[in-house]
Amino acid sequence: MTTAGAPGYAFPAHPTFLGGQHGWLSAAYDPVTLPRLAATGVTRGWRCLEVGTGGGSVARWLAERVAPGGEVLATDLTPPTSPAPPGVVYLTHDVVNDPLPEGEFDLIVARLVLQHLPEREAVLARLARALAPGGWLQIDEFDVSYEPPLLAPDAAAERLYRKFLAAKAAALRAAGAHPEWGREVARAMRDAGLVEIDPRPHVELRTPESASLGLQLHHTRHLRERLLAAGMTEAELAGVRALMTDPSFRACSSVLYSVQGRRAR
């Protein structure tokens, strides 16, 4: 597991946690990511790239739409170990250091990946160059600067939730991430020479039944070592878990920016 405070991807690549991480991410954000991808007109014969495929739900969805004749290259540092579904090729790939073909893809998508990379702007520029003329790039990223509690049992519970959010943001920064980068993606796409740039913000209500809050609850365990290093105690982690399962708890989500841009023809 990644040691607390060490630079690098904040979430330990440990099998105890990865399945839950991928499942909650898919449940919470596929309803945002997939309709946006559909709006590009992705269809049979397209060649697609997903950077940071995780559990593979986006790659599977794309493969169903580009068949027959298309292909989805789904990359990650640790891609799924299960057999790839028809039309999908899994590839172990470091998007910072490993080569990418230029002018190759009709559609590239990266969800909640680039914020974790100190080289994020250079990577986005590389992805832009990997697009075929007229190809689409979609980047989905958070801005966690605003995600307040809206209804907590008392003032102490509200303070505890705010402390958890601050500790999580600090833990991500300590690993080299930029947890507010979502608001900068549109500008970065423009700087990379893309056109038709279309940023769409998404916010939702977090409740104990929502996948968005389920992901936060999962992070109290997945990021445990980093949260402790950021100043939380075991008792506070237990307390915030209890709060997030309280039926009366309500909070605003962070902003997820789904940003599309296109390479000029």
Side-chain angles (χ1 to χ4, degrees), residues 13-40:
H14 192 286
T16 302
F17 301 115
L18 278 183
Q21 175 82 349
H22 295 158
W24 285 118
L25 282 170
S26 176
Y29 301 115
D30 280 5
V32 178
T33 299
L34 301 185
R36 288 282 282 160
L37 290 172
T40 67

Side-chain angles (χ1 to χ4, degrees), residues 166-222:
K168 182 181 168 186
L172 293 173
R173 291 189 190 96
H178 182 356
E180 296 88 21
W181 191 60
R183 69 175 84 169
E184 300 181 26
V185 173
R187 185 269 311 155
M189 282 191 179
R190 182 199 62 200
D191 292 349
L194 298 182
V195 298
E196 299 181 41
I197 298 166
D198 183 18
R200 299 288 182 94
H202 172 82
V203 296
E204 62 179 306
L205 180 68
R206 286 177 176 165
T207 72
E209 298 79 24
S210 67
S212 176
L213 194 61
L215 181 64
Q216 299 302 308
L217 184 62
H218 176 76
H219 287 168
T220 67
R221 297 180 173 88
H222 199 173

Side-chain angles (χ1 to χ4, degrees), residues 68-131:
E71 185 178 69
V72 179
L73 182 61
T75 72
D76 210 316
L77 292 175
T78 53
T81 56
S82 57
V88 176
V89 175
Y90 290 142
L91 178 67
T92 301
H93 184 269
D94 177 354
V95 72
V96 175
N97 298 304
D98 293 341
L100 273 177
E102 296 196 6
E104 180 74 14
F105 299 101
D106 302 296
L107 173 62
I108 299 174
V109 56
R111 180 173 68 188
L112 304 176
V113 175
L114 271 63
Q115 68 164 275
H116 296 285
L117 307 176
E119 308 88 349
R120 59 189 68 87
E121 304 252 348
V123 169
L124 190 151
R126 292 184 71 212
L127 296 178
R129 292 193 296 271
L131 291 170

Side-chain angles (χ1 to χ4, degrees), residues 40-91:
T40 67
V42 57
T43 189
R44 63 176 57 186
W46 279 32
R47 181 160 170 77
C48 303
L49 169 67
E50 185 189 12
V51 178
T53 193
S57 63
V58 172
R60 290 190 295 272
W61 183 90
L62 285 170
E64 293 173 356
R65 278 144 188 83
V66 303
E71 185 178 69
V72 179
L73 182 61
T75 72
D76 210 316
L77 292 175
T78 53
T81 56
S82 57
V88 176
V89 175
Y90 290 142
L91 178 67

Side-chain angles (χ1 to χ4, degrees), residues 129-176:
R129 292 193 296 271
L131 291 170
W136 290 97
L137 175 63
Q138 178 170 316
I139 305 291
D140 293 356
E141 289 287 357
F142 285 136
D143 175 358
V144 304
S145 61
Y146 181 80
E147 48 182 336
L150 302 175
L151 187 61
D154 51 45
E158 180 175 329
R159 288 193 298 270
L160 178 61
Y161 185 72
R162 290 185 183 277
K163 182 174 182 178
F164 162 70
L165 295 177
K168 182 181 168 186
L172 293 173
R173 291 189 190 96

